Amino acid sequence: MDVNAKLMAKMRRDRGTSVLSKDAYLDYLETFDSNLVTCVGAAYFDVNGLHEYNRDHGHDQGDVMLANVAGAIMEVFGEDRVFRTGGDEFVAICEDMPEQELARMVEQVEELFEQRGLSCAVGYEWRDSDLDMDAMIRSADMSMFRNKARFYEENDRRNVRGGA
């Protein structure tokens, strides 16, 4: 691999978490061809309480926590399916995977989060028709947002602890 190819490969990874970068995510969305897959699913993850965690433990520890969240997601979904789309937001995209498998993988990640003292809101969407990736990602994001709202209803925002 020449120097330029190594640099390009490195740029496709998020430096802090090792998942695929937002640029890689945007490239994926731009080149996604629904005619080449029979079904697709997306899982959307957003860390709960990152602001409070950074305030209480410092940004360096917040960065470690984000790397731990990303590591748990990659452990289940693999390195080539997980993207960092924002500061504390991650998306895993799975082509040609049955819905039950996607749901099982989401559950596995949630179990890892719990075991490791991490807290993330999670939502997912799976489709085998109308494979509009933008609409599907929005739907997964809305599902995650509802999960996050429930988290904050159940937990007083000032008392968010436990690693996320």
Side-chain angles (χ1 to χ4, degrees), residues 12 23-37 83 95 133-134:
R12 295 191 58 78
D23 284 338
Y25 172 71
L26 295 173
D27 289 346
Y28 173 85
L29 293 180
E30 190 174 297
T31 60
F32 176 76
D33 185 348
S34 63
N35 296 312
L36 300 177
V37 298
F83 302 87
E95 297 177 356
M133 186 59 75
D134 290 332

Side-chain angles (χ1 to χ4, degrees), residues 8-23:
M8 289 304 291
K10 187 175 183 179
M11 289 174 54
R12 295 191 58 78
R13 293 268 164 207
D14 177 68
R15 178 174 254 166
T17 63
S18 299
V19 299
L20 292 165
S21 68
K22 184 162 186 175
D23 284 338

Side-chain angles (χ1 to χ4, degrees), residues 129-146:
S129 63
D130 185 24
L131 302 181
D132 177 336
M133 186 59 75
D134 290 332
M136 193 178 75
I137 297 289
R138 278 192 307 276
S139 181
D141 182 37
M142 290 305 298
S143 176
M144 177 280 303
F145 186 77
R146 287 188 299 274

Side-chain angles (χ1 to χ4, degrees), residues 113-127:
F113 289 158
E114 188 173 329
Q115 291 168 8
R116 297 173 185 179
L118 303 167
S119 179
C120 287
V122 182
Y124 74 92
E125 176 78 6
W126 180 90
R127 295 183 179 187

Side-chain angles (χ1 to χ4, degrees), residues 8-159:
M8 289 304 291
K10 187 175 183 179
M11 289 174 54
R12 295 191 58 78
R13 293 268 164 207
D14 177 68
R15 178 174 254 166
T17 63
S18 299
V19 299
L20 292 165
S21 68
K22 184 162 186 175
D23 284 338
Y25 172 71
L26 295 173
D27 289 346
Y28 173 85
L29 293 180
E30 190 174 297
T31 60
F32 176 76
D33 185 348
S34 63
N35 296 312
L36 300 177
V37 298
T38 58
C39 57
V40 66
Y44 205 104
F45 303 87
D46 187 308
V47 175
N48 290 323
L50 180 62
H51 174 76
E52 293 83 357
Y53 189 81
N54 281 338
R55 182 192 64 223
D56 294 344
H57 302 283
H59 287 273
D60 288 343
Q61 286 303 305
D63 291 344
V64 169
M65 187 265 304
L66 285 172
N68 290 335
V69 166
I73 300 168
M74 282 194 300
E75 194 172 315
V76 174
F77 282 94
E79 293 182 0
D80 295 327
R81 293 183 179 161
V82 182
F83 302 87
R84 186 174 184 183
T85 59
D88 64 347
E89 297 176 355
F90 301 89
V91 173
I93 299 175
C94 302
E95 297 177 356
D96 295 322
M97 176 183 286
E99 183 176 12
Q100 298 83 356
E101 178 69 8
L102 176 63
R104 185 189 64 74
M105 292 172 82
V106 167
E107 286 177 17
Q108 280 184 292
V109 173
E110 291 177 316
E111 288 171 9
L112 287 176
F113 289 158
E114 188 173 329
Q115 291 168 8
R116 297 173 185 179
L118 303 167
S119 179
C120 287
V122 182
Y124 74 92
E125 176 78 6
W126 180 90
R127 295 183 179 187
D128 62 358
S129 63
D130 185 24
L131 302 181
D132 177 336
M133 186 59 75
D134 290 332
M136 193 178 75
I137 297 289
R138 278 192 307 276
S139 181
D141 182 37
M142 290 305 298
S143 176
M144 177 280 303
F145 186 77
R146 287 188 299 274
N147 183 266
K148 184 174 274 300
R150 279 191 303 274
F151 170 83
Y152 282 112
E153 285 173 11
E154 294 170 4
N155 298 278
D156 180 22
R157 187 174 203 120
R158 293 174 308 236
N159 292 324

